[in-house]
Amino acid sequence: MAHIKLPEFEEMAPAIQDRARPILEKTGKLGEIFKLMAVDEKIYFATDTIVQKYLLDETTLSYDTKEAIALLVSKENGCKMCVDVHKSIAKMLGLSDEKIENILQGVDAMNVDAKEKALLNFCLRAAQKDSYKIVKEDIDAIKSLGYSDVQVLEAVAITGYFNYINTLSNVFGLGE
C-alpha cells in the first residue's frame, strides 16, 4: 500500500489518461509506479520521456543489457517492485527464466562476455552514493573494451534512471 494517495484513472490529467488508456485496455490495470507519476503531470511526462527514449526505443545498447542494468540496479537498491516489473519485461523481451535468475544472482553469475560484465559492474559502481569517485581512467577502461562514448553515457543514464525510480518506489512504499 502506497504511503500517499495514488490517483485512479478517472482522477488523472487528460493528457496522462490518453497515455494510460492503451495500457489499461491491454492489461486491465495500471501499475503503482504509473499512478505515482500521475500525481504530477510534469514529473509523469519527464519520466515517460526517459522511459520511451532509453528503455523502449532501440538504442546503442541491446535490450538485454538495458534490462540487466534495470534488474541489477533495482536489486542493489532493494526495490522489489522494480525487480518484479523488470523480470516481467525481460521475459517479454525474450530473456529466459534462467538468464533472469542469473542476472539477479549478480554479474559474476551471468553467462556474458567479460566486456559486458565490465560494463555492468561499472553501472553498479555508478549507482552507488560514492559515484563521484569514478575518474576518467575508469571510463577509459570501459571504452578500451570497445564501448563508445554514447554507449557509456547511455548505460550511466539508465543507471541514474533506476536510482531515481527505485528511490520513488521505495520512499512511497510501492509494491508492499
Side-chain angles (χ1 to χ4, degrees):
M1 177 90 178
H3 300 322
I4 64 172
K5 183 185 179 309
L6 301 179
E8 293 303 323
F9 178 79
E10 301 76 24
E11 301 168 305
M12 295 175 187
I16 295 174
Q17 287 179 345
D18 289 343
R19 192 62 64 98
R21 193 169 284 106
I23 298 166
L24 195 55
E25 290 170 356
K26 186 174 184 177
T27 66
K29 66 178 186 161
L30 295 175
E32 285 186 314
I33 197 69
F34 189 101
K35 290 179 178 183
L36 179 66
M37 296 292 116
V39 167
D40 183 297
E41 194 170 349
K42 288 179 183 178
I43 290 173
Y44 175 82
F45 283 106
T47 305
D48 187 61
T49 297
I50 294 170
V51 169
Q52 296 297 321
K53 298 297 178 188
Y54 281 100
L55 299 177
L56 300 178
D57 284 357
E58 194 169 313
T59 62
T60 64
L61 296 176
S62 71
Y63 287 114
D64 286 15
T65 299
K66 293 189 282 189
E67 282 307 311
I69 294 168
L71 287 164
L72 289 164
V73 172
S74 295
K75 183 172 184 232
E76 183 73 21
N77 289 335
C79 187
K80 182 183 179 328
M81 188 207 69
C82 293
V83 168
D84 290 343
V85 166
H86 282 276
K87 282 170 65 174
S88 296
I89 291 171
K91 276 184 150 177
M92 287 185 335
L93 292 172
L95 276 72
S96 68
D97 287 335
E98 180 182 1
K99 187 167 187 172
I100 293 166
E101 288 310 311
N102 286 345
I103 293 169
L104 292 173
Q105 290 173 25
V107 175
D108 291 337
M110 294 175 64
N111 187 21
V112 295
D113 62 25
K115 175 183 173 182
E116 179 98 351
K117 285 183 179 186
L119 180 69
L120 295 172
N121 278 319
F122 178 79
C123 289
L124 285 172
R125 185 165 171 222
Q128 302 301 308
K129 292 213 181 294
D130 67 349
S131 61
Y132 65 90
K133 293 180 180 178
I134 292 175
V135 295
K136 181 182 183 310
E137 290 77 17
D138 298 318
I139 295 168
D140 289 344
I142 296 300
K143 288 172 47 180
S144 75
L145 298 172
Y147 288 105
S148 68
D149 288 345
V150 172
Q151 289 173 310
V152 175
L153 175 60
E154 183 180 332
V156 174
I158 292 168
T159 299
Y161 169 78
F162 280 96
N163 272 346
Y164 159 70
I165 210 72
N166 296 161
T167 298
L168 289 173
S169 178
N170 289 338
V171 167
F172 291 105
L174 304 186
E176 291 182 3

